[in-house]
Amino acid sequence: MIELKHFRLLRAIARHGTMSGAARELGYTQPAVTQQIQSLERTLRTPLVTRNRTGFRLTDAGELLLRHGASVLATVSLAQAEVEAIAGLRAGRVRIACFPSAAAMLLPRALGAMTAEHPGVSFTLAETEPPKALEMLRRGECDIAIVYLYVTAGSDGPSAPALEAGEIRTQLLEESVHVAMPKGHPAAAKRWVDLRELRDARWIAGCPGCRGNLLEACAASGFTPDIAFETDDYVALQGLAAAGLGVALVPDLMRAAARHEPGLALRRLHPMSVRVVSAVSTTALMGVPGVAQTVAALRESAAAVDLGDIPS
């Protein structure tokens, strides 16, 4: 009665708001889209789509059907991805979702080694933060999600996201988190900086995960940080700190990927904070040689990564 194509059709109409937009996305003609919707409405004996001033929207019945369809399509997509991987990765591809500083510091060496040894395997990269990377893995949109977890001494900190059934986490590295500030900052004269000394500082927050760690670490030290700037760009974050516009927490991969700005000081942090970087995949996908070998290459790359010296 209800087929996968109907779920995809409703999703496309909801996304575009027009029959023509849905037709373009799915490779149909506009009349074919209209006919399929009308046929489904006759089968279910209720309208699923209604016209408004700007195009089309789903009715309550259409929205209900789409909500059920979202989980069905995600399951089918994941199943298809795993079957395709098992059947064809000898000449297939490995899809990776990864946050920016790990993409800069871990992927070039790992994927370069894989390409040299297994030229039939290709790679795609989606640059995104850990929560979205895990969502992509669970929707069957990537094969390996590279994620991180912050751990701060003296704080319970955020717990590792719970793995779902069939998921496997492989730790790649553990990196230190430093405090970045201009060289003229009074605390820059010290080798270690107690976070409580910076309770009155203005702060520069990074991506949502990094911002969450900042809030957790400062809460463990008894204060709420005054966040003056927020940026997902780790190069911009270090540039803002070097310019004296605030202080920031910078993990090793982030500082090494950007090297360092003139005028920037990086100091060890107390309480000590680390960021644990891991690769997450599924049991089925790790049974595919290309995926398993890529994770192994990532571990070798992490072991060999040059984090450089902390600039004085």
Side-chain angles (χ1 to χ4, degrees), residues 85-86 89-90 94 114 118 285-295:
I86 291 169
L89 255 179
R90 287 187 302 273
V94 178
M114 281 291 296
H118 308 283
L285 289 169
M286 286 293 285
V288 177
V291 175
Q293 289 165 7
T294 299
V295 172

Side-chain angles (χ1 to χ4, degrees), residues 7-297:
F7 291 135
R8 294 188 178 105
L9 187 56
L10 289 173
R11 183 176 63 184
I13 292 171
R15 180 179 295 151
H16 296 283
T18 64
M19 295 294 186
S20 59
R24 283 193 301 271
E25 177 181 329
L26 299 174
Y28 295 154
T29 64
Q30 185 172 335
V33 168
T34 302
Q35 290 170 9
Q36 289 187 45
I37 287 294
Q38 291 173 345
S39 174
L40 184 59
E41 289 176 333
R42 285 194 298 270
T43 299
L44 298 177
R45 293 180 295 178
T46 187
L48 300 174
V49 176
T50 185
R51 183 185 290 274
N52 58 25
R53 288 179 297 177
T54 59
F56 291 87
R57 66 171 181 84
L58 301 187
T59 63
D60 289 345
E63 292 282 1
L64 176 64
L65 192 59
L66 181 58
R67 285 198 296 273
H68 286 288
S71 62
V72 172
L73 290 174
T75 300
V76 170
S77 179
L78 179 58
Q80 181 178 345
E82 293 184 350
V83 169
E84 287 177 352
I86 291 169
L89 255 179
R90 287 187 302 273
R93 61 175 178 164
V94 178
R95 301 164 301 163
I96 300 171
C98 182
F99 59 96
S101 57
M105 296 301 296
L106 301 183
L107 291 188
R109 181 191 298 268
L111 302 191
M114 281 291 296
T115 300
E117 294 180 22
H118 308 283
V121 178
S122 61
F123 301 90
T124 63
L125 170 63
E127 194 172 273
T128 187
E129 291 299 316
K132 178 69 177 298
L134 285 176
E135 288 176 13
M136 292 178 66
L137 179 69
R138 290 162 185 171
R139 290 198 302 262
E141 296 173 0
C142 73
D143 305 308
I144 301 169
I146 300 178
V147 302
Y148 59 74
L149 162 71
Y150 281 101
V151 180
T152 301
S155 169
D156 292 338
S159 59
L163 296 185
E164 296 191 352
E167 293 178 347
I168 299 174
R169 183 192 310 273
T170 302
Q171 183 168 322
L172 301 178
L173 59 82
E174 185 177 287
E175 51 177 332
S176 297
V177 179
H178 310 276
V179 59
M181 62 188 70
K183 286 186 174 180
H185 193 284
K190 302 180 177 181
R191 185 176 179 184
W192 289 82
V193 176
D194 190 314
L195 203 54
R196 289 171 296 185
E197 298 176 49
L198 301 173
R199 64 170 58 246
D200 296 324
R202 304 184 78 194
W203 285 86
I204 305 162
C207 66
C210 299
R211 176 190 171 97
N213 172 64
L214 171 62
L215 294 174
E216 288 277 351
C218 292
S221 293
F223 71 96
T224 299
D226 174 16
I227 297 176
F229 296 93
E230 296 184 54
T231 176
D232 290 343
D233 187 328
Y234 57 82
V235 177
L237 181 144
Q238 293 183 66
L240 291 168
L245 297 172
V247 297
L249 297 184
V250 177
D252 277 331
L253 286 180
M254 190 183 294
R255 70 170 179 83
R259 295 309 169 184
H260 69 277
E261 289 276 342
L264 182 69
L266 286 148
R267 296 294 178 262
R268 298 188 184 278
L269 187 64
H270 179 78
M272 188 175 72
S273 177
V274 298
R275 189 167 75 165
V276 181
V277 179
S278 303
V280 180
S281 190
T282 69
T283 303
L285 289 169
M286 286 293 285
V288 177
V291 175
Q293 289 165 7
T294 299
V295 172

